[in-house]
């Protein structure tokens, strides 16, 4: 994985595979405290403590769960290389939260990458799942909530090509503005 | 930060009222991009962006773009499945920009599968 937006796509897809109807993604960039935090929360089926204990070990997971183990362990490795870590909390029947921290200015911290492509791929590819994206940087924030879009669109689906393009362009231009500060 | 404007959403809604083609099953073709960890690492998101762009450029509204998990052939990623209405689904392997464009022209729009890029029969279990 070349950048954080691909890791985020990967973990969010895990949540969707786990039957989530709502995925919440938060990216918090605090350059003064030199911290980059990423939180992914889903309301999927969750994991029991036995599975949770081995989910970060790429060599323990079985064939059917291999995908989960590998993706999360790669993300954890990326976090640790940037002076941070990845932790997971999960409750069966309630959902899973993945929390990642990194030192923002660390030379080995992967770049954010293209969040517009990641969010559009998630929304367009899974139009029945709702997604909330919050990106904060030093006090400013951008929020995308598909529940609001859905209410406004009424019977036009979220994966309609025009809607997907609108979402993509809005995320792209808003995040560009957010990064300029 | 600028939120997606209600006006833009309303415009799409009004325009689509008269031509709701993307109804249950009412589409010409469906393209599924496999988005497991393996697919994502191999470039699946870029493949999805390519298709979104070409669909947008040509203003096509009866081709659905969706995604799914790992298909179990991680070494053959990026993989896509194309289902043209009324035909059997075809899985394509090691999809890049060039292959994606040809598959879009010949199979998605033309209805003729691109055999040389398809997953060969009998190789479903050969994960190398």
């Amino acid at each position: 994985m070349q950048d954080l937006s691909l890791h985020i796509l990967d973990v969010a897809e895990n949540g969707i595979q786990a039957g989530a109807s709502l995925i919440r993604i938060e990216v918090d960039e605090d350059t003064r405290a030199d911290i980059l935090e990423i939180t992914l929360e889903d309301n999927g089926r969750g994991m029991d403590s036995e599975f949770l204990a081995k989910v970060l070990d790429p060599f323990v997971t079985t064939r059917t769960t291999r995908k989960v183990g590998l993706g999360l362990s790669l993300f954890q490795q990326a976090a640790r290389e940037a002076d941070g870590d990845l932790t997971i909390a999960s409750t069966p029947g309630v959902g899973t939260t993945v929390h990642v921290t990194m030192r923002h200015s660390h030379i080995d911290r992967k770049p954010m990458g293209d969040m517009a492509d990641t969010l559009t791929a998630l929304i367009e590819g899974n139009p029945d799942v709702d997604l909330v994206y919050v990106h904060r940087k030093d006090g400013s924030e951008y929020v995308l909530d598909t529940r609001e879009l859905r209410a406004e669109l009424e019977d036009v689906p979220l994966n309609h090509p025009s809607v997907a393009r609108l979402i993509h362009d809005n995320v792209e231009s808003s995040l560009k503005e957010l990064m300029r500060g | 930060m600028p939120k997606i404007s209600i006006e833009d959403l309303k415009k799409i809604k009004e325009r689509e009222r008269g031509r709701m083609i993307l109804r249950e099953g009412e589409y010409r073709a469906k393209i599924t991009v496999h988005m497991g960890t393996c697919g994502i690492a191999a470039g699946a998101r870029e493949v999805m962006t390519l298709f979104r762009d070409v669909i947008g450029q040509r203003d096509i509204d009866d081709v659905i773009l969706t995604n799914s998990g790992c298909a179990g052939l991680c070494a053959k990623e990026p993989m896509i499945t194309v289902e043209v209405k009324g035909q059997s689904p075809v899985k394509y392997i090691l999809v890049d920009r060039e292959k994606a464009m040809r598959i879009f022209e010949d199979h998605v729009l033309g209805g003729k599968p691109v055999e040389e890029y398809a997953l060969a029969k009998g190789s479903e279990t050969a994960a190398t």
Side-chain angles (χ1 to χ4, degrees):
Chain A
M1 304 277 175
Q2 294 129 341
D3 59 49
L4 299 173
S5 71
L6 290 172
H7 284 293
I8 290 171
L9 175 60
D10 187 28
V11 175
E13 286 283 348
N14 287 344
I16 290 164
Q17 300 297 327
S21 61
L22 178 66
I23 308 267
R24 189 181 165 84
I25 303 171
E26 275 189 46
V27 175
D28 210 326
E29 300 188 49
D30 187 337
T31 56
R32 277 160 288 214
D34 200 14
I35 290 174
L36 172 60
E37 252 181 301
I38 300 170
T39 310
L40 289 116
E41 203 181 328
D42 72 61
N43 64 353
R45 69 180 69 92
M47 296 174 270
D48 59 28
S49 52
E50 194 191 342
F51 190 82
L52 197 57
K54 62 182 187 184
V55 78
L56 286 168
D57 185 340
F59 302 110
V60 171
T61 47
T62 64
R63 167 64 187 85
T64 48
T65 56
R66 164 189 50 69
K67 191 167 61 71
V68 176
L70 195 58
L72 286 171
S73 57
L74 286 171
F75 202 176
Q76 185 177 52
Q77 185 189 9
R80 286 180 172 174
E81 280 169 2
D83 207 10
D85 207 352
L86 176 149
T87 54
I88 309 173
S90 191
T91 311
V94 177
T96 301
T97 302
V98 174
H99 185 240
V100 181
T101 56
M102 277 166 278
R103 190 138 64 80
H104 199 286
S105 67
H106 199 287
I107 188 116
D108 290 323
R109 178 181 65 80
K110 289 187 185 181
M112 265 319 292
D114 195 332
M115 278 312 297
D117 271 359
T118 280
L119 296 175
T120 315
L122 280 169
I123 295 166
E124 191 176 20
N126 309 279
D128 299 329
V129 177
D130 274 311
L131 187 137
V132 177
Y133 181 68
V134 181
H135 196 134
R136 287 187 207 93
K137 191 181 180 199
D138 298 330
S140 304
E141 74 171 16
Y142 168 70
V143 180
L144 176 76
D145 187 337
T146 59
R147 292 169 301 187
E148 292 171 8
L149 307 188
R150 206 186 285 283
E152 196 52 48
L153 283 164
E154 293 173 11
D155 47 4
V156 178
L158 277 176
N159 63 344
H160 189 283
S162 310
V163 179
R165 238 169 305 145
L166 184 67
I167 292 171
H168 179 273
D169 294 350
N170 180 265
V171 176
E172 191 171 58
S173 60
S174 303
L175 291 185
K176 219 175 257 172
E177 194 178 309
L178 188 68
M179 290 309 118
R180 274 200 298 267
Chain B
M1 288 301 117
K3 288 200 133 190
I4 289 182
S5 90
I6 304 270
E7 284 313 307
D8 285 340
L9 295 170
K10 275 206 175 113
K11 255 184 256 165
I12 294 175
K13 190 169 67 183
E14 294 309 323
R15 201 180 64 219
E16 294 313 314
R17 275 240 158 93
R19 50 177 232 201
M20 287 303 291
I21 296 165
L22 275 174
R23 283 276 142 263
E24 309 300 303
E26 291 298 310
Y27 52 87
R28 165 165 36 174
K30 184 164 90 174
I31 305 170
T32 305
V33 181
H34 297 261
M35 286 267 187
T37 302
C38 43
I40 293 168
R45 195 188 65 185
E46 284 73 11
V47 170
M48 189 142 176
T49 302
L50 273 176
F51 284 123
R52 184 183 317 118
D53 287 348
V54 72
I55 288 168
Q57 280 154 15
R58 303 194 194 181
D59 201 21
I60 293 166
D61 61 3
D62 56 355
V63 173
I64 289 186
L65 193 53
T66 185
N67 64 42
S68 71
C70 168
L73 285 165
C74 309
K76 303 285 192 196
E77 296 285 359
M79 284 176 62
I80 62 170
T81 304
V82 173
E83 291 174 77
V84 172
K85 209 171 180 200
Q87 296 181 11
S88 303
V90 177
K91 276 193 167 59
Y92 292 102
I93 57 171
L94 301 168
V95 177
D96 56 18
R97 170 181 287 271
E98 207 176 307
K99 288 184 183 178
M101 289 305 109
R102 169 108 188 268
I103 292 164
F104 193 79
E105 291 299 335
D106 292 8
H107 192 183
V108 176
L109 298 182
K112 198 172 162 290
V114 186
E115 274 183 39
E116 64 257 51
Y117 301 156
L119 178 66
K121 274 186 189 143
S123 64
E124 283 87 346
T125 54
T128 52

